[in-house]
């Protein structure tokens, strides 16, 4: 990947002590609303154009020859057409582990580096997955409502289902999948998974596809990248398999909404094919279908997998550092696998 060496005077650093004030700040396009944890650092080191591509096509065309970087979030779209419009583009820095919205092939074809923020969010996303599993199994939001609405005064809640000792199936066994698996072991759960290829070094059972896996588990947790390769991987057939077991299955999605055929999921929940779901991501965020909102056996969260102050700060720091390293002529810290 191309890294542009720049004049020593322009060397940038995240450390304010060694940071030199460059004569000309590199220009960066923010393609979605910047995190308040990233914006101040970014604005200190770069001239930031906020979502010009959405608001002012003429201004974008005017600035394009100077725009050397893109700052994106995990859900941002960076299309081949946008990359095409930016002849000076050198780097796309994604503040997020997922980068399915970025046309990486188009970036690579132009020699544009793409970076993301893996690892720093593993714990939080894994914690949320377990939280959603517990919430869906033990019906915690409904239990909370039971107390608040005074319904306890006239009776107990219906019995919930047990999570400890149940069978977990993971769709995806990357770093976050492994963090979920190790937590599940503490709950005495058995762990199986499907992934593009088996990982023989891990002590978990491998299944070749999601339907075979779903047939053998009580909880199916989705933690695989989004994008064309996984679109609607969880379809009506997979949900039917998940629903076959005793007590039926629970689906949890902390990956991308695109991985699940949402219409098929709603159908399966309405028909009682599966017992419940815990969903952090949706096909058309932040819009959530009214039919999903109406289902009491579904626990919904607004894409908060990595949303703790500590983790978002770590993600912002890493996203900024990748830009700083690049513009200082050094290797970026966390390129996406395709750019390594
Ligand atoms: C965030 C995410 O919502 O990391 C990802 O891929 O989806 C989330 O952590 C987002 O990236 C914050 O910008």
């Amino acid at each position: 990947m191309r890294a542009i060496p720049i004049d020593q005077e322009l060397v940038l650093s995240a450390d304010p002590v060694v940071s030199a004030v460059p004569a000309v700040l590199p220009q960066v396009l923010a393609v979605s609303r910047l995190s308040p944890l990233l914006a101040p650092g970014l604005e200190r080191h770069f001239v930031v154009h906020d979502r010009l591509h959405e608001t002012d096509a003429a201004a974008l065309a005017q600035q394009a020859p100077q725009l050397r970087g893109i700052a994106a979030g995990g859900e941002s779209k960076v299309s081949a057409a946008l990359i095409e419009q930016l002849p000076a583009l050198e780097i796309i820095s994604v503040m997020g582990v997922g980068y399915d919205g970025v046309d990486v092939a188009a970036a690579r074809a132009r020699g544009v580096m793409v970076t993301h923020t893996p690892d720093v969010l593993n714990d939080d996303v894994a914690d949320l997955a377990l939280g959603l599993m517990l919430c869906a199994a033990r019906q915690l939001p409904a239990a909370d409502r039971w107390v608040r609405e005074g319904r306890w005064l006239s009776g107990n809640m219906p019995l919930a289902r047990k999570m400890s000792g149940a069978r977990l199936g993971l769709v995806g066994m990357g770093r976050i999948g492994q963090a979920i698996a190790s937590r599940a072991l503490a709950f005495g759960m058995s762990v199986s998974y499907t992934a593009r290829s088996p990982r023989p070094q891990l002590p978990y059972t491998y299944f070749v596809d999601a339907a075979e896996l779903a047939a053998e588990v009580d909880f199916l947790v989705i933690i695989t990248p989004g994008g064309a390769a996984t679109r609607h991987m969880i379809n009506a057939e997979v949900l039917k398999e998940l629903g076959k077991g005793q007590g039926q299955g629970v689906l949890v999605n902390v990956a991308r909404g695109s991985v699940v055929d949402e219409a098929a999921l709603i159908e399966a929940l309405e028909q009682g094919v599966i017992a419940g779901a815990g969903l952090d991501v949706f096909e058309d965020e932040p819009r959530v279908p009214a039919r999903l909102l109406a289902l009491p056996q579904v626990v919904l969260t607004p894409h908060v997998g990595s949303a703790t102050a500590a983790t978002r700060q770590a993600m912002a720091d890493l996203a900024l550092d990748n830009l700083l390293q690049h513009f200082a002529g050094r290797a970026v810290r966390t390129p996406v696998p395709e750019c390594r």
Side-chain angles (χ1 to χ4, degrees), residues 272-298:
V273 172
I274 64 169
L279 305 172
D280 187 47
V281 288
F282 305 87
E283 282 206 274
D284 185 26
E285 291 173 20
R287 280 160 290 275
V288 177
R291 280 165 70 195
L292 260 186
L293 300 178
L295 294 168
Q297 73 275 39
V298 179

Side-chain angles (χ1 to χ4, degrees), residues 43-44 85 105 111 115 128 158 175 233 279 317:
E43 280 155 8
R44 198 173 319 126
Q85 279 179 69
T115 63
L128 185 78
R175 289 165 285 222
M233 183 187 244
L279 305 172
D317 292 349

Side-chain angles (χ1 to χ4, degrees), residues 73-75 95-98 121 256 303 306 312 315:
E75 301 106 63
M95 181 182 152
V97 66
L121 42 57
R256 285 290 182 265
H303 200 148
S306 64
R312 283 287 167 83
M315 291 165 70

Side-chain angles (χ1 to χ4, degrees), residues 32-33 35 72-76 94-100 117 121 125 176 254-256 280-281 285 302-307 311-312 315:
S32 39
R33 180 144 40 114
S35 158
E75 301 106 63
S76 300
V94 178
M95 181 182 152
V97 66
Y99 53 94
D100 45 294
T117 60
L121 42 57
V125 181
I176 304 175
V254 288
R256 285 290 182 265
D280 187 47
V281 288
E285 291 173 20
H303 200 148
V304 290
S306 64
T311 291
R312 283 287 167 83
M315 291 165 70

Side-chain angles (χ1 to χ4, degrees), residues 73-121:
E75 301 106 63
S76 300
K77 302 271 173 279
V78 182
S79 64
L82 180 60
I83 293 168
E84 177 79 13
Q85 279 179 69
L86 305 177
L89 188 63
E90 298 165 30
I91 181 168
I92 300 166
S93 170
V94 178
M95 181 182 152
V97 66
Y99 53 94
D100 45 294
V102 178
D103 192 327
V104 178
R108 285 193 58 188
R110 274 271 313 281
V112 172
M113 167 60 76
V114 183
T115 63
H116 65 151
T117 60
D119 291 323
V120 292
L121 42 57

Side-chain angles (χ1 to χ4, degrees), residues 84-326:
E84 177 79 13
Q85 279 179 69
L86 305 177
L89 188 63
E90 298 165 30
I91 181 168
I92 300 166
S93 170
V94 178
M95 181 182 152
V97 66
Y99 53 94
D100 45 294
V102 178
D103 192 327
V104 178
R108 285 193 58 188
R110 274 271 313 281
V112 172
M113 167 60 76
V114 183
T115 63
H116 65 151
T117 60
D119 291 323
V120 292
L121 42 57
N122 295 353
D123 283 339
D124 276 357
V125 181
D127 289 353
L128 185 78
L130 270 287
L132 286 174
M133 287 163 66
L134 273 172
C135 281
R138 301 297 299 269
Q139 290 290 296
L140 298 183
D144 178 88
R145 290 193 294 273
W146 198 268
V147 177
R148 283 177 206 279
E149 291 165 8
R151 298 173 70 187
W152 194 12
L153 298 168
S154 39
N156 289 330
M157 268 186 75
L159 297 178
R161 62 186 291 158
K162 183 168 173 154
M163 189 168 107
S164 282
R167 300 167 302 168
L168 169 64
L170 285 162
V171 176
M173 194 40 100
R175 289 165 285 222
I176 304 175
Q178 289 170 51
I180 297 171
S182 61
R183 283 159 174 73
L185 294 183
F187 281 80
M189 301 182 83
S190 63
V191 178
S192 318
Y193 69 104
T194 186
R196 261 174 307 187
S197 46
R199 293 174 167 248
Q201 74 281 13
L202 296 175
Y204 311 125
T205 310
Y206 176 76
F207 287 89
V208 284
D209 65 36
E212 279 195 28
L213 174 68
E216 299 297 327
V217 300
D218 307 301
F219 291 81
L220 190 67
V221 176
I222 317 304
I223 186 61
T224 191
T230 56
R231 191 179 139 71
H232 287 190
M233 183 187 244
I234 307 305
N235 53 23
E237 184 208 342
V238 174
L239 295 167
K240 195 168 150 207
E241 295 299 329
L242 180 61
K244 276 184 183 160
Q246 259 190 347
Q248 302 168 311
V250 167
L251 181 82
V252 167
N253 189 3
V254 288
R256 285 290 182 265
S258 61
V259 184
V260 175
D261 178 343
E262 207 163 81
L265 173 63
I266 293 170
E267 200 68 24
L269 287 161
E270 284 178 348
Q271 302 301 319
V273 172
I274 64 169
L279 305 172
D280 187 47
V281 288
F282 305 87
E283 282 206 274
D284 185 26
E285 291 173 20
R287 280 160 290 275
V288 177
R291 280 165 70 195
L292 260 186
L293 300 178
L295 294 168
Q297 73 275 39
V298 179
V299 180
L300 305 164
T301 51
H303 200 148
V304 290
S306 64
T308 66
T311 291
R312 283 287 167 83
Q313 186 65 66
M315 291 165 70
D317 292 349
L318 187 49
L320 176 62
D321 206 34
N322 277 320
L323 287 168
L324 293 174
Q325 296 300 330
H326 171 82

